[in-house]
Amino acid sequence: MFEEMSKSNLGSVLKGILKERSLSMRKLSELTGIDTATISRIINGKRKANPEHLQKFAHSLGVPTAELFVAAGYDIEQKPKQEKLDSDIQRSVNSIQNFLESSNIDMKNFTITSVEQKLASYEQYTQTEEGKETILNSFGEKLQKVGSIGPFINRLKDMYEKFRLMKGTPGELALIGSALLYFILPVDAIPDYIFPIGYLDDAIAVQLVTNVLSIKK
């Protein structure tokens, strides 16, 4: 698929994916939080997609980000910041896997994909009234239970404020909600009771969502 994308422009790639999955540009707009007019201009070659657009397309469509960057004409060798973020996340995953193995905890299937799949399910749940109420009613309690500070927790607090005040597009709020639910709900890729790494996958989930939204503190 990578070779096919490298020979095509982004517009044709996106058209192909949308056709294959019977998705409209309006639906893609809902998934990504990018307005339909912008998506139309990108697909029709009237506007160049920026890195944030590409990250949102990749996350929403389940396509590797690097492949979309190539299709959009970017030199992926010139993306050190994103590569560093991805590398940092992978190192964290490797550290977690090594810890679980050394502790004789059978969780060999813990991967970035397992976190992404959980986020995807929570993203859908966030868009229900029950999901919204869970976030608004339970975030403070879970935060108090954790009782810690730092970039991971501070970023969650920022996300919660955006969600509480509904500051963002429906797509952005759904993504933010997925990270908040991942933190709140006890059914993580790694259970919270496994000390000291029980919350590391929560941090990875927050970083994955942050990468897509490009949230700046």
Side-chain angles (χ1 to χ4, degrees), residues 47-158:
R47 172 173 177 169
K48 184 176 178 64
N50 63 38
E52 183 177 355
H53 292 147
L54 297 173
Q55 289 172 351
K56 289 181 178 180
F57 287 145
H59 177 82
S60 299
L61 297 173
V63 178
T65 306
E67 296 185 5
L68 291 187
F69 269 86
V70 170
Y74 285 92
D75 182 352
I76 60 174
E77 297 301 323
Q78 295 180 1
K79 298 196 283 80
K81 182 178 179 181
Q82 182 61 42
E83 289 175 357
K84 182 180 186 301
L85 288 172
D86 293 340
S87 178
D88 288 344
I89 291 174
Q90 187 59 56
R91 278 198 297 272
S92 296
V93 170
N94 291 340
S95 297
I96 291 172
Q97 290 172 329
N98 290 337
F99 179 90
L100 294 172
E101 183 177 348
S102 66
S103 302
N104 295 318
I105 299 172
D106 186 16
M107 291 191 67
K108 296 179 181 178
N109 293 326
F110 174 72
T111 61
I112 291 177
T113 299
S114 67
V115 178
E116 290 177 330
Q117 289 173 343
K118 185 68 70 174
L119 284 170
S121 66
Y122 287 159
E123 191 174 337
Q124 298 300 315
Y125 183 47
T126 297
Q127 299 175 64
T128 67
E129 287 304 315
E130 183 180 359
K132 293 174 183 176
E133 289 178 6
T134 298
I135 292 172
L136 297 175
N137 296 333
S138 303
F139 179 76
E141 181 181 346
K142 184 61 177 283
L143 196 63
Q144 187 174 18
K145 180 180 177 181
V146 174
S148 61
I149 59 175
F152 158 57
I153 297 298
N154 288 338
R155 194 167 295 175
L156 272 172
K157 290 178 180 177
D158 290 342

